[in-house]
Amino acid sequence: MNRTKINLTSFLYPLLFLIFILLFWEFLIIYFKIPKYFLPSPSNVLNAFILNIKTFLIATLVTLSITFLAITLSIISGVLIAIGVFQYKILDKTISPYIVILQTTPIVSIIPLLIIWFKSNTFITLVICAWIACIFPIISNTLIGLKSTDKSLIKIFRIYGASQTFMLKKLYIPSALPYFLSGLKISGALALIGGISAEFIAGTGGRASGIAYILLMAGYNLETDKLFAALFIITVLGIFIYSLFNFISYLLLKQWHDSSTNF
Amino acid sequence: MLYQTLLNTRSHVDFIKLDNVSKMFQNLTVLKKVSMEIHKGEFIGILGPSGCGKSTLLTLLSGLEKISSGVLHNNSTKGKSAFVFQDSCLMPWKTLEQNIAIPLEILNLSRQEIEEKVNKYLKILDLYKFRKNYPRELSGGMKMRASIARALVTDPEVILMDEPFASLDQILRERLVDEIYEIYLRKNLTGIFVTHNIAEAVFLCNRIYIFSFHPGQIIGQIQINKSNMDMKKYRNSDVFHQTCVKIRTILENSNE
């Protein structure tokens, strides 16, 4: 009973607050007669959203496909790199500095280079940018997880002569799972940011244009209502991606990990 | 009576022997010239203050660490040693039965064999009802019993215990000590039991080695004579208390 009440209030209070803000915003626009190109009212934004719904839908799908492709690539490559670095000291020493470089180099600075290399396929450029932006938390968190495996459990496995592959499968990887999932939540948001930033610079148009391109064009054309609608979609996408990974994390950890007592 | 009969069947041939064994970690000597003999079927206690190298001694006996100098003979069958740690050290992502089954999976036993053995020890340690539960759903005592079941499930020749009851309350400790003792008698185990608790060691062990503070050296050895004695009465007997006082005196003198 109490739990239902808490869940309801945690949903209801932010919603009521949002409704209040929107109404107040609408009132301010009408009262001060603020021009639409400077600050559109929520009803203008909704109108722009409905009028351009098809364009928004296609652009959202493009942005989502860039984001999820980048996340999938970073999960595969990030986990493999983390396991490799964990298993082989030589690999750790050889590639660890480059992993740090990957994180410290601003993503925008390498976009022009990628555009030169993949000029015939901007989609690949965008995916690579998003991949570079989101791989580091996967590598870093998975590696910390692998290294944090309970030392006594390692001793137990070793005392019975477990092979390294068996230990990796049954001990190290499950032990690193909460850390990996925590990294995945960060990576999801970073992939979206990386993809959108890249699209801003690449300025890709046509059929493969994502939500950032609409945002950019709306800005150039002073279609502020459309710009707000695109901004709203990006925000919703960010929340959707985070919630999705949070839910996956909850499903995988709910039975055994303290971080997943609530969703 | 059972105790006496079983004790008589135990061999007095050296099962594990350490001759002037030292262990160093870089420049730090943790164990210095330790010599001891452990006979098959004995339950040996290792007592000493924190930092005397008791746990290091167990890792040497288990083969997880190599000795720095001296000679260590271990005649137990390879893979027939089991470890019980201070914490239960269960894998939180596996159920109780999956945790207990893991040594058997490593040893590559068939599904049916694994199931039979796991169920047997789940029943012995009164855990069968909780076999599908995850460790976080269980009490500290249950987790520790599961840890003991995991150690026993391979039918080990040697069981190495590193302060296994340290985190439990007094009543639970005594109950688990009783359970371990019963299993020890039934299974003809050789036990090496590291503890801070003098009473536990005196109750459980046939012989106790007392270690000095850093670097760990043997400063005393006590043979415990509890033959013909009912174990419930033994815990409240004069012999039991006198042995405890004797060990305490050795430890106190070593600190001066």
Side-chain angles (χ1 to χ4, degrees), chain B:
Chain B
M1 191 63 192
L2 172 73
Y3 173 78
Q4 187 61 51
T5 317
L6 284 163
L7 205 67
N8 289 340
T9 63
R10 288 169 201 257
S11 151
H12 285 278
V13 176
D14 289 345
F15 189 48
I16 298 167
K17 189 174 179 182
L18 286 86
D19 198 2
N20 280 324
V21 166
S22 296
K23 177 66 188 172
M24 293 173 77
F25 289 105
Q26 288 164 339
N27 292 325
L28 186 77
T29 306
V30 182
L31 286 171
K32 195 174 170 189
K33 296 196 170 176
V34 172
S35 297
M36 58 165 71
E37 298 102 39
I38 299 164
H39 305 131
K40 195 166 174 32
E42 268 193 314
F43 217 107
I44 297 292
I46 310 288
L47 262 172
S50 298
C52 72
K54 302 188 295 282
S55 301
T56 306
L57 181 68
L58 287 193
T59 54
L60 294 179
L61 293 172
S62 67
L64 290 170
E65 289 278 355
K66 287 196 171 115
I67 57 171
S68 303
S69 64
V71 182
L72 194 162
H73 288 293
N74 190 341
N75 293 323
S76 65
T77 316
K78 203 167 181 261
K80 280 283 183 185
S81 299
F83 223 124
V84 182
F85 291 93
Q86 186 173 345
D87 297 315
S88 54
C89 297
L90 299 174
M91 289 175 280
W93 58 89
K94 287 196 179 281
T95 61
L96 217 57
E97 63 181 358
Q98 288 170 336
N99 263 290
I100 296 169
I102 204 78
L104 303 174
E105 280 183 43
I106 298 170
L107 297 170
N108 217 7
L109 264 69
S110 71
R111 279 267 140 236
Q112 198 191 340
E113 274 179 297
I114 291 175
E115 205 174 306
E116 276 170 19
K117 279 176 181 278
V118 168
N119 285 341
K120 180 180 154 190
Y121 280 96
L122 279 168
K123 282 172 190 162
I124 289 174
L125 284 145
D126 209 10
L127 290 166
Y128 191 74
K129 225 169 42 173
F130 307 100
R131 66 192 186 282
K132 300 284 179 202
N133 285 83
Y134 285 86
R136 80 168 185 182
E137 297 162 342
L138 303 169
S139 69
M142 285 179 190
K143 282 192 259 190
M144 192 41 81
R145 288 219 298 276
S147 176
I148 293 165
R150 180 182 56 195
L152 295 172
V153 79
T154 54
D155 296 321
E157 289 174 1
V158 183
I159 185 161
L160 307 158
M161 295 195 279
D162 191 358
E163 300 182 51
F165 314 120
S167 58
L168 305 176
D169 65 69
Q170 188 62 28
I171 303 295
L172 201 58
R173 285 172 88 121
E174 284 183 12
R175 207 187 132 194
L176 278 177
V177 168
D178 288 347
E179 283 178 14
I180 287 270
Y181 194 76
E182 251 187 71
I183 293 166
Y184 154 68
L185 289 178
R186 255 190 273 158
K187 292 263 156 195
N188 195 29
L189 278 172
T190 303
I192 298 150
F193 180 55
V194 160
T195 182
H196 285 297
N197 191 308
I198 298 171
E200 255 168 35
V202 174
F203 179 80
L204 208 51
C205 303
N206 313 119
R207 207 143 47 88
I208 297 172
Y209 284 100
I210 304 161
F211 276 66
S212 66
F213 181 63
H214 185 79
Q217 278 177 299
I218 294 171
I219 51 165
Q221 190 191 151
I222 305 269
Q223 184 75 37
I224 307 211
N225 186 13
K226 49 190 169 185
S227 54
N228 292 332
M229 204 173 282
D230 176 60
M231 290 314 284
K232 279 178 189 161
K233 285 181 187 162
Y234 171 64
R235 196 176 252 141
N236 297 313
S237 70
D238 286 344
V239 181
F240 181 84
H241 290 292
Q242 279 160 11
T243 316
C244 288
V245 171
K246 200 171 163 186
I247 293 170
R248 182 181 290 275
T249 312
I250 296 173
L251 281 168
E252 279 171 355
N253 289 341
S254 77
N255 284 338
E256 282 167 8

Side-chain angles (χ1 to χ4, degrees), chain A residues 26-65:
Chain A
E26 189 84 31
F27 165 76
L28 285 180
I29 301 288
I30 297 165
Y31 188 79
F32 291 108
K33 295 184 179 122
I34 299 169
K36 197 170 107 177
Y37 72 87
F38 187 75
L39 181 66
S41 67
S43 57
N44 292 144
V45 176
L46 184 66
N47 199 34
F49 181 77
I50 294 165
L51 282 175
N52 299 287
I53 193 148
K54 202 181 164 192
T55 321
F56 279 131
L57 202 66
I58 294 165
T60 304
L61 285 176
V62 171
T63 304
L64 268 182
S65 54

Side-chain angles (χ1 to χ4, degrees), chain A residues 150 152-153 155-162 166 170-171 174-175 253-258 260-261, chain B residues 59 62 64 79 81-83 85 89-94 102-103 105-107 134 136 150-151 154:
Chain A
D150 189 322
S152 301
L153 275 172
K155 279 185 189 171
I156 288 170
F157 273 67
R158 281 177 52 204
I159 210 170
Y160 294 108
F166 186 92
K170 299 273 180 174
L171 178 63
S175 176
L253 305 178
K254 67 176 175 181
Q255 276 180 305
W256 63 273
H257 201 260
D258 290 336
S260 287
T261 42
Chain B
T59 54
S62 67
L64 290 170
S81 299
F83 223 124
F85 291 93
C89 297
L90 299 174
M91 289 175 280
W93 58 89
K94 287 196 179 281
I102 204 78
E105 280 183 43
I106 298 170
L107 297 170
Y134 285 86
R136 80 168 185 182
R150 180 182 56 195
T154 54

Side-chain angles (χ1 to χ4, degrees), chain A residues 122-141:
Chain A
T122 321
F123 186 78
I124 291 178
T125 307
L126 300 180
V127 171
I128 291 173
C129 286
W131 171 69
I132 292 171
C134 74
I135 192 173
F136 187 77
I138 302 260
I139 299 174
S140 168
N141 279 36

